[in-house]
Amino acid sequence: MQKPKNERIAADNLADLYQKAAERFDSLPAFATREKSLKWKPVSFRELYEQGLDLASGLIELGVKARDHVGLFGDNRFEWILTDYAIQFCGAADVPRGRDVSDSEMEYIVGHAGIKVCFVETEVLQNRLLRIKERLPDLQHIIVLDHNARVREGVLKLKDILNTGSSLRNSGDRRVFDRIKGIRPDDLFTLIYTSGTTGRPKGVMLTHENIISQTRNLPGIHNPNDRILSVLPIWHVFERVIEMYTISFGGCTYYSGIQTLGDDMINVEPTFMASAPRLWEKIHEKIIKGVKASHPVRQVLFHIAYFLSKQYRVSEAFLKNKNLQVKKKSWWGSAVLYPFHLVRWLIVLPWFGFFNAAVLERIRLSAGGSLAATISGGGALPIHIDRFFNNVGIPVLEGYGLTETSPVISVRPKLNLIVGTVGPPIRDTDVRIVDLETRKVLFPNKDLPDGGRSMRGEIQVRGPQVMAGYYREEELTRNAFEDGWFRTGDLGMITHNNCLKILGRSKATIVLSSGENVEPEPIEMRLQQSQYIDQCMVVGQDQKSLGVLVVPKQEAFTHNGTPAFSISELAQNSEAKRIIRHEIRRLISASSGFKGYELIRDFRVLDRSFRVGHELTNLFKVKRHVVTEEFSDAIEDLFQNGTKKKI
Amino acid sequence: MEFPSQLLYAHDQILLAIMIFVIMLGMGSSLTVDDFKAVARSPRGVFIGFLSQFGLMPLLALGLSILLGLDPAFAIALILIGCLPGGTTSNMFAYFSRGSVALSISMTTASTVVALFMMPILLNLYTVRFTSQISETMRAAGAESDFVIPTGNIISSLVLVLLPVIMGMILRKKSPGWAKTAEDTAGFVAIMVILYLILTAFVRHGGLFLQTPIQVYLATIGIGMAGFFFGYWFSRLLGMYPLFQRAISLETGIQNGPVSFAIILLSFNEPVQSQMLWLAILYSTFIVMTSSVITLYFRKKGKFDWDVYKNTQIHNRLFGREYVTNYPKDFLPQRLKNDPSQGTSPAQKRG
């Protein structure tokens, strides 16, 4: 019998990929749009390709040149991918943003990228762009994707350009094919502006080679039998790469949304998808709720099944050498543990087999049942969620990457699922670890024990996926690289079984689980204006909201009538806590100019101050990674209990 | 060989009776009237399954008994096992082996009903040489009557086991929640009780495992394996596609063990009862292991054709019954290309 096929088209650039996919997969569905829960509209690879050529011919007629930047503001829908096809066929690059782009961002991006033609998804976006149009002299044409939108005067409709292009091609217009031939691997396919709370958005330049290398190097066996559910915003490069990857093996992408996700998972039975931690948290919540609502006998069965699965998988990971190895395994430790795990594995196996089949399969069905794997990216997956899905038997392949690395640097392959890591680097990709202060290379380094494994430092990357630079920001681009290696700004290490483990940020920027970037310094500076706060550090990486660690100023409390002999005594004092809570609320508020996601949800008073040489540098700068490690209990406590009460 | 009589004490028998009741109730809880109607919708598959279950399997049992030279009591038990209808366990294994669950359920339902008259006929037909052997031994020991297969008792035991199945079906109709629980509990109870029987046998008659001739082990393991093997290739020969082959294979090899316990306890007496029961216990134990292994193998082997089947099925579910999926030329092997239900779903007609 036939083995699963690994189909993957090798192409030189995206336009080439689109062309070859149409030849190979022809009438197979490429994208499907939801009309009702059991009524979807498919578009084949061939149809998409032909329409893309039509639209491209229309755009060329409109004046779009090769290597132009074309704006594309909207969310996941068929017209988005159609427009992307056309822009690539023109030899141009798109500049994408979602519907939630703010007016000021829109103005900055259109101006900075020199956009002459801009696609907008909806009528509302059209109106907003028109309002700022007079400040954008280069902007010549606005095109609306939505067929039902009422367009204003001077604004074009996607359909009209399609029709123009179609009749041009019918009368023998072949210009688009010359454009396709003219595309070079180092041409941009997209220019993605990343949002930042401080400073201007940065335009990340990604080339055709960047994205094609990803479709080539991502691990996995896929073919036209695969179904992909699309939920993450398409203008994020992660979702984009997964969709391009899907085109390369002939799978079909089904456009879903957060509201319909549960329903769509059951009807579409996806085999693969790009996902984010938030999504898995939601599914986890739903599963637990479902279990709690079920019959008591079945609840007991679930708990037995989960317990057995946990025992089984921990032992299996140990026996297969697929456990998290932050420290090197000692031979005598292994000699003791190996027989223990072997015996436990053998004892649990038959019971696990039964419960896995009878109980856990029902849980898996709530995610469609066919889900062979899902790559989770865009933030760290909380470890208990990670373990839960692994134990239930839904493989969540946590990956790691940044927009600047288009995006995948490493991912846990299905057969090498080491929970707690983000897997080994993908093919053609080199990762090194550099000491934060001495800038010495820690890994790979032959002079260090175990080649530098388990040494902590900044993660740096070299590979075909690394961006060409930030658009018109030479200094920023220079600072982003060190000896030709891209600096991720993340802290990490290589485990003893050669997987990358992320330990935190070396840059100060905090990325919340919602994806918002927060610069902590302005918040901390504001907090330190309080007479009661001596030192503080804002935390919240991968959390829903921010929290702060506070070292109280002892003298201030003494003056105020709350004398204490030590800081640790203050940390226990409820009056001191009340004062600090009041201070935080007073200083960090919407009225003092902070955005909603910059507000502090909870805090912890620390029992000792930061020390120079430990938590502080000689220049009294807070070493964030050291504080994160030293006060990890307080931080964990903050985010575990902190969600209930608000300041 | 001195085989211990009274393998089970009275309270064990009660336990076994409860277990049979729970399992058959669980079986009924998983069935609906629609499942019976579905049999009529796929008569070809069910008929091939019927031939495999009631034609092939009893013959395999008879062949194995002669080949291994089994004791007459063991031989009768093995043939009894060979004539049994399928159980719900096979549906679960069919699911995990990426086989057609619908066909598996249809076959289980049909065979359970058909067994009412097929079992007594087949059992009488195939056990003639062994019953006469037993009669001779009995007469030599001074008995006056011949040993006969208690046909009437077998039919009434079968009817008796079917009662909880019908009760389960009513439960399913009245309270689907409780029915689901009954279904889940049944599988668990079955494993627990079989383990209990094996353990008590070990504790009370420690030597039993050594006393049991190697041929009995070979027969109890072999009958399941032979069923899987011949079921798979027999259905292939008759032009079934992989998805159905896997379902038929498992349905053929996996028999409804609890029904055999009921028949042996209610219809047979010593000196054969304990021996027969022991063989049935051994079969029930080994079949769980062998079908697990076969299921894992099928699951791997069938991944590709299952993916193709699933994908086309979902295309029809979402894009409408008229949608036709055309895979690239060299993507499907010839066999799947001609398949009305794999390369395309039943509604997909190729021009």
Side-chain angles (χ1 to χ4, degrees), chain A residues 30 33 38 49 69 110 136 162 291 297 314 318 365 376 383 402 410 480 491 559 594 607:
Chain A
T33 310
L38 285 176
Y49 171 69
H69 299 155
V110 173
L136 301 164
L162 256 176
V291 168
V297 178
V314 168
F318 183 91
L365 283 179
S376 174
I383 188 88
L402 296 89
S410 75
L491 215 56
H559 285 302
F594 288 93
D607 51 8

Side-chain angles (χ1 to χ4, degrees), chain B residues 194-263:
Chain B
I194 287 174
L195 268 174
Y196 172 77
L197 291 176
I198 290 271
L199 277 175
T200 48
F202 189 76
V203 172
R204 285 182 207 145
H205 318 280
L208 190 57
F209 288 88
L210 293 172
Q211 276 174 32
T212 311
I214 181 85
Q215 285 87 340
V216 171
Y217 288 117
L218 287 178
T220 44
I221 297 172
I223 185 71
M225 295 302 273
F228 296 141
F229 183 82
F230 285 100
Y232 189 82
W233 290 106
F234 175 70
S235 52
R236 164 98 193 236
L237 214 68
L238 292 176
M240 287 313 236
Y241 293 101
L243 167 84
F244 303 116
Q245 268 179 274
R246 292 192 286 272
I248 292 174
S249 164
L250 285 164
E251 194 71 28
T252 310
I254 302 173
Q255 307 286 53
N256 199 334
V259 173
S260 73
F261 293 150
I263 292 176

Side-chain angles (χ1 to χ4, degrees), chain B residues 13 17 20 150 153-154 156-158 160-161 259-269 273:
Chain B
Q13 298 204 8
I20 293 166
N153 281 352
I154 290 179
S156 35
S157 340
L158 270 170
L160 205 61
V161 230
V259 173
S260 73
F261 293 150
I263 292 176
I264 294 168
L265 285 177
L266 295 172
S267 316
F268 289 89
N269 294 313
Q273 195 194 47

Side-chain angles (χ1 to χ4, degrees), chain A residues 5 40 227 267 269 361, chain B residues 95 310-311 317-318 330:
Chain A
K5 285 188 173 180
W40 294 61
R227 293 171 300 280
N267 293 328
E269 302 185 34
E361 180 70 10
Chain B
Y95 173 85
K310 202 74 204 170
N311 198 37
R317 181 198 296 167
L318 302 177
D330 50 351

Side-chain angles (χ1 to χ4, degrees), chain B residues 79-94:
Chain B
I79 292 165
L80 174 72
I81 299 264
C83 301
L84 287 173
T88 33
T89 348
S90 61
N91 306 345
M92 195 171 99
F93 282 111

Side-chain angles (χ1 to χ4, degrees), chain A residues 130-427:
Chain A
L130 281 174
R131 239 175 280 143
I132 53 173
K133 190 172 184 289
E134 56 189 39
R135 295 199 290 275
L136 301 164
D138 286 343
L139 183 61
Q140 292 161 5
H141 299 289
I142 299 173
I143 305 164
V144 182
L145 297 183
D146 188 358
H147 296 315
N148 303 322
R150 286 166 299 165
V151 295
R152 300 274 201 84
E153 212 188 301
V155 174
L156 299 161
K157 267 190 142 176
L158 180 81
K159 222 175 200 156
D160 299 333
I161 303 180
L162 256 176
N163 291 339
T164 318
S166 168
S167 43
L168 278 171
R169 279 185 68 216
N170 284 338
S171 55
D173 182 355
R174 310 277 301 160
R175 281 178 293 177
V176 60
F177 294 103
D178 297 332
R179 288 286 182 88
I180 295 174
K181 267 188 217 122
I183 300 172
R184 296 189 308 254
D186 57 351
D187 280 345
L188 301 191
F189 84 95
T190 193
L191 181 59
I192 299 177
Y193 281 82
T194 57
S195 57
T197 45
T198 55
R200 312 174 297 261
K202 294 176 283 187
V204 178
M205 297 191 286
L206 296 178
T207 67
H208 283 282
E209 170 54 16
N210 284 154
I211 193 155
I212 292 293
S213 81
Q214 291 268 299
T215 66
R216 193 171 59 222
N217 293 335
L218 283 177
I221 296 174
H222 296 284
N223 61 40
N225 289 326
D226 280 298
R227 293 171 300 280
I228 281 78
L229 215 51
S230 158
V231 259
L232 299 186
I234 177 69
W235 64 274
H236 278 182
V237 72
F238 179 41
E239 171 69 21
R240 183 99 174 256
V241 154
I242 296 297
E243 287 188 18
M244 298 300 118
Y245 177 49
T246 305
I247 291 174
S248 80
F249 58 72
C252 181
T253 302
Y254 295 79
Y255 287 122
S256 180
I258 290 294
Q259 274 81 29
T260 58
L261 181 64
D263 202 21
D264 296 345
M265 273 201 151
I266 287 158
N267 293 328
V268 176
E269 302 185 34
T271 58
F272 187 67
M273 67 189 287
S275 55
R278 189 78 201 95
L279 207 89
W280 291 108
E281 281 173 26
K282 267 191 143 167
I283 298 175
H284 175 251
E285 249 166 57
K286 212 182 104 192
I287 291 176
I288 296 296
K289 226 165 105 188
V291 168
K292 280 189 181 146
S294 70
H295 198 276
V297 178
R298 308 200 46 196
Q299 277 188 45
V300 173
L301 289 176
F302 173 78
H303 288 294
I304 298 174
Y306 188 81
F307 172 79
L308 287 169
S309 179
K310 204 161 89 185
Q311 309 295 316
Y312 175 81
R313 288 183 202 274
V314 168
S315 286
E316 192 190 33
F318 183 91
L319 295 173
K320 285 186 172 171
N321 202 20
K322 300 275 160 68
N323 52 341
L324 177 62
Q325 293 172 12
V326 173
K327 286 192 189 118
K328 200 183 180 187
K329 265 186 179 174
S330 63
W331 66 267
W332 53 270
S334 308
V336 174
L337 286 173
Y338 200 93
F340 164 74
H341 282 291
L342 188 63
V343 169
R344 183 165 85 168
W345 187 81
L346 282 171
I347 292 175
V348 172
L349 176 67
W351 304 102
F352 164 73
F354 172 73
F355 278 97
N356 184 38
V359 183
L360 295 182
E361 180 70 10
R362 291 245 170 80
I363 305 282
R364 291 194 283 267
L365 283 179
S366 61
S370 296
L371 205 57
T374 157
I375 298 190
S376 174
L381 196 63
I383 188 88
H384 71 279
I385 304 273
D386 196 354
R387 290 212 183 102
F388 177 83
F389 283 104
N390 188 49
N391 288 341
V392 163
I394 298 175
V396 179
L397 314 181
E398 199 182 358
Y400 167 67
L402 296 89
T403 305
E404 285 87 338
T405 57
S406 53
V408 183
I409 293 171
S410 75
V411 63
R412 303 200 291 236
K414 211 182 152 199
L415 296 173
N416 195 9
L417 241 167
I418 300 176
V419 174
T421 75
V422 291
I426 61 171
R427 217 174 352 185

